[in-house]
Amino acid sequence: MTMPLDAHDDRSDDALLAAFARGDRAAARALTLRLTPRVLAHAARLLGNRAEAEDVAQEALLRLWRQAPHWRAGEARVTTWLYRVVANLCIDRQRRARGGAVALDAVPEPPDPAPDVPAQMQARARADALQAALGALPERQRQAVVLRHIEDCTNPEIAEIMDTTVEAVESLTTRGRRALATALAARKEDLGHVDD
Amino acid sequence: MSTTDEDRRREAALDACIDAARDSAPVPSAALLARVLDAAEAEQDRIAARHAAVPRAPRAGLWARLRQGLGGYPALAGLAAAGVAGIWIGMALPALLPGTLPGDYVVDVAPDLALDTGGDF
């Protein structure tokens, strides 16, 4: 099966979803290309596991397709709805998987950086360290931090996704950031953050 | 080093890790995209099939819909009778209209109404 990777479409998510429900194949392609990367990335951040994140992304988008005929434009943003579905699917998986979040100690240490290590390796190490630290956060702190600092959602959007108040979101992100900073500070030598 | 300096360094280190994480977002494989699109198109087919499966009553003809809209055959008969009577009155009685006979007059049954004061009679 081939899919044109340049299936760009300027229509809004709402408009594409309405067209999708009318059987528009181009809308199906455009939504697939637009939303799959975001959904996959979000699931990967919450789960720390690529294979499971793919399963979650596929399931979340299937639910969106089924919702399309009933979608009421303007009531909620498609991405907000999807982030909420992804979070619920991730939480279900983690609760089923006994033990939930991956402990920081269980994640392999990044390779020792030599002074001449390529920048990509350092970036990889930092990204892996952040993922490991995220995995050690409580579920809701992790979700709030990922939505705020990686997906760039606003606090009101996060509050809607997490079904809570803006104040609660601020508290979750503040505590989450502090915990992440503490976890990463312990590995500053590995990650190339040297004191001036 | 002061606590503030240490906090600032920690924040900077965290921001560097967040930037690295953003830049290394997983890219969906072609296989995943294909699975998602297959599911999307299958769902579109299901939606179309559901619409097609909804039984629809045969559409009545124009005459039948007009008849029903007017209230059926009894209403049509009354309408036809009224139409014929109107034509007969129009053709046979114009000579009896007020003002056409010598000495005719108009009885105003509601002289206080403004309507009557500005009339053409």
Side-chain angles (χ1 to χ4, degrees), chain A residues 14-15 17-18 64 67-78 81:
Chain A
D14 273 348
L17 206 51
L64 179 66
Q67 185 65 23
H70 318 289
W71 188 261
R72 286 191 274 189
E75 278 197 5
R77 292 176 61 180
V78 173
W81 187 89

Side-chain angles (χ1 to χ4, degrees), chain A residues 99-169:
Chain A
V102 179
L104 184 55
D105 292 344
V107 174
E109 291 284 315
D112 271 345
D116 59 347
V117 70
Q120 305 97 299
M121 287 186 69
Q122 187 179 63
R124 183 75 256 165
R126 288 175 175 175
D128 289 347
L130 182 81
Q131 188 60 51
L134 281 171
L137 292 181
E139 275 168 9
R140 288 181 67 80
Q141 274 185 33
R142 178 168 61 244
Q143 188 185 0
V145 167
V146 168
L147 288 168
R148 181 75 189 89
H149 296 293
I150 298 183
E151 314 295 352
D152 278 335
C153 293
T154 62
N155 284 349
E157 271 181 283
I158 299 170
E160 189 181 344
I161 292 164
M162 296 182 69
D163 198 19
T164 188
T165 62
V166 171
E167 292 74 21
V169 169

Side-chain angles (χ1 to χ4, degrees), chain A residues 39-195:
Chain A
V39 171
L40 175 66
H42 192 52
R45 298 284 174 232
L46 297 184
L47 289 169
N49 180 304
R50 167 76 190 232
E52 284 198 82
E54 288 206 359
D55 290 345
V56 165
Q58 204 174 332
E59 175 64 25
L61 287 162
L62 180 59
R63 291 185 185 194
L64 179 66
W65 307 147
R66 289 180 177 159
Q67 185 65 23
H70 318 289
W71 188 261
R72 286 191 274 189
E75 278 197 5
R77 292 176 61 180
V78 173
T79 47
T80 300
W81 187 89
L82 273 174
Y83 282 142
R84 185 191 283 235
V85 170
V86 166
N88 288 339
L89 289 170
C90 289
I91 289 168
D92 286 349
R93 276 178 179 257
Q94 287 174 327
R95 289 182 180 165
R96 276 203 307 269
R98 285 179 316 175
V102 179
L104 184 55
D105 292 344
V107 174
E109 291 284 315
D112 271 345
D116 59 347
V117 70
Q120 305 97 299
M121 287 186 69
Q122 187 179 63
R124 183 75 256 165
R126 288 175 175 175
D128 289 347
L130 182 81
Q131 188 60 51
L134 281 171
L137 292 181
E139 275 168 9
R140 288 181 67 80
Q141 274 185 33
R142 178 168 61 244
Q143 188 185 0
V145 167
V146 168
L147 288 168
R148 181 75 189 89
H149 296 293
I150 298 183
E151 314 295 352
D152 278 335
C153 293
T154 62
N155 284 349
E157 271 181 283
I158 299 170
E160 189 181 344
I161 292 164
M162 296 182 69
D163 198 19
T164 188
T165 62
V166 171
E167 292 74 21
V169 169
E170 286 167 356
S171 170
L172 285 166
T173 51
T174 301
R175 284 184 284 139
R177 257 192 86 92
R178 194 182 307 134
L180 287 179
T182 302
L184 294 170
R187 297 174 62 171
K188 64 184 178 186
E189 298 300 332
D190 298 338
L191 304 175
H193 307 303
V194 291
D195 293 341

Side-chain angles (χ1 to χ4, degrees), chain B residues 49-79:
Chain B
R50 272 201 302 272
H51 283 305
V54 174
R56 301 179 69 176
R59 191 174 171 82
L62 178 63
W63 169 244
R65 280 182 285 143
L66 185 64
R67 190 182 69 226
Q68 288 304 316
L70 291 173
Y73 281 116
L76 276 184
L79 190 65

